[in-house]
Amino acid sequence: TTSLQKAIQFAGGEGGIIFRISVFTGVSIQPYYSTFQDECEILLSPNFALIVMKSLFQEIINGKTYYVLELEEKKKYSTYVF
């Protein structure tokens, strides 16, 4: 979902995990194909790969503590040096 309020609801309340994902190739299906219009769903590409940008951390949102994991779509032709 692109909705923070919906992500909080999916997280199951305080102490839940929220995945904050940055994507380049995702497509919104909300206006045409989503059964639940309020979920603001994004369709991801086949063989979609993610990179962890920031490991699990606590964040206070609307006065409640959640665990957040930040991820980013891996670019197809990226080079990584370790």
Side-chain angles (χ1 to χ4, degrees):
T1 183
T2 58
S3 164
L4 177 59
Q5 293 307 317
K6 189 54 73 171
I8 289 169
Q9 182 181 349
F10 287 145
E14 188 167 12
I17 297 176
I18 295 174
F19 293 89
R20 188 174 291 148
I21 304 172
S22 296
V23 298
F24 309 107
T25 60
V27 177
S28 173
I29 63 169
Q30 181 181 6
Y32 309 107
Y33 305 110
S34 181
T35 301
F36 305 100
Q37 294 290 314
D38 65 327
E39 290 185 2
C40 305
E41 298 165 287
I42 300 294
L43 184 64
L44 303 174
S45 302
N47 300 317
F48 180 78
L50 293 168
I51 299 170
V52 175
M53 301 304 289
K54 188 172 181 182
S55 60
L56 197 65
F57 63 96
Q58 290 183 336
E59 186 172 310
I60 297 173
I61 304 170
N62 298 332
K64 295 182 180 179
T65 302
Y66 295 89
Y67 293 93
V68 178
L69 182 61
E70 291 188 0
L71 306 156
E72 185 175 290
E73 180 178 2
K74 179 181 176 186
K75 295 177 184 172
K76 189 172 183 178
Y77 300 106
S78 297
T79 302
Y80 299 95
V81 178
F82 295 93

